[in-house]
């Protein structure tokens, strides 16, 4: 008998999913199909105001932000360096818009549109969000950006 297999974190209740996989109480089970219209990522009360979190939805990385202006979700990949860092950027306001500053090269992306303020030819995708009655935050499929809107991209992003 291994001690680690019989220990449970103090105060963590267990519940069973339909497939009998133990899950901590309150844990959200993500849809297994990447083509599901909405994928739950976390509870709204788990978000920290004016900070980002990285989540995986529909097989891609998404940066989610909670600000005084509302909830926003953008691509997590910085189009200038290709690194998954936008959720770690500094959230603030610039030129009257809520923005996130990339931690790599410090470009600012508008949270409401994904538009880069320093380079008007660059834009990251926005992702729709919804919160259900239980406070679960889900991510929908991203918008489509055509090559003319994002010249740094190699092709149309779906």
């Amino acid at each position: 008998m291994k001690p680690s297999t019989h220990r449970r974190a103090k105060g963590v209740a267990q519940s069973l999913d339909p497939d009998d996989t133990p899950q901590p109480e309150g844990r959200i089970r993500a849809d297994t199909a990447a083509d599901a219209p909405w994928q739950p990522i976390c509870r709204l009360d788990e978000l920290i105001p004016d900070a980002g979190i990285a989540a995986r939805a529909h097989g891609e990385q998404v940066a989610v932000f909670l600000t005084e202006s509302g909830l926003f979700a953008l691509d997590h990949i910085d189009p200038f360096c290709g690194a998954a860092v936008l959720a770690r950027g500094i959230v603030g306001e610039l030129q009257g818009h809520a923005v996130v500053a990339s931690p790599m090269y410090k470009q600012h992306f508008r949270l409401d549109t994904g538009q880069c303020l320093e380079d008007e030819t660059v834009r990251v995708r926005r992702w729709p969000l919804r919160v259900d009655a239980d406070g679960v935050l889900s991510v929908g499929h991203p918008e489509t950006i055509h090559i003319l809107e994002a010249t740094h991209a190699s092709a149309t992003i779906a």
Side-chain angles (χ1 to χ4, degrees):
M1 178 163 86
K2 295 179 184 175
S4 62
T5 60
H6 297 320
R7 290 186 186 170
R8 189 165 53 173
K10 187 176 182 178
V12 177
Q14 294 284 323
S15 62
L16 292 179
D17 284 340
D19 66 356
D20 292 335
T21 305
Q23 296 287 324
E25 190 172 299
R27 183 78 180 247
I28 297 164
R29 183 182 163 92
D31 292 336
T32 55
D35 61 346
W38 293 95
Q39 287 190 339
I41 56 168
C42 68
R43 296 184 52 76
L44 182 60
D45 58 11
E46 294 173 331
L47 296 179
I48 299 169
D50 297 321
I53 65 158
R56 189 154 186 84
H58 305 290
E60 299 190 52
Q61 296 185 46
V62 181
V64 179
F65 304 92
L66 174 63
T67 70
E68 290 179 5
S69 304
L71 279 168
F72 301 96
L74 302 173
D75 279 333
H76 185 42
I77 307 294
D78 181 330
F80 289 94
C81 67
V85 295
L86 286 185
R88 292 186 233 143
I90 297 172
V91 177
E93 188 174 310
L94 188 63
Q95 300 174 3
H97 304 288
V99 297
V100 60
S102 172
M104 295 300 287
Y105 300 120
K106 311 305 185 245
Q107 284 90 359
H108 298 88
F109 295 92
R110 285 182 53 172
L111 293 177
D112 59 345
T113 65
Q115 182 66 49
C116 177
L117 296 181
E118 288 79 15
D119 186 342
E120 64 186 35
T121 65
V122 179
R123 187 168 166 248
V124 294
R125 291 179 300 175
R126 295 175 296 164
W127 294 71
L129 297 171
R130 75 173 183 189
V131 180
D132 68 15
D134 295 327
V136 175
L137 179 64
S138 296
V139 177
H141 288 282
E143 68 179 353
T144 299
I145 296 179
H146 298 284
I147 192 79
L148 296 175
E149 295 179 15
T151 58
H152 291 272
S154 60
T156 299
I157 302 171

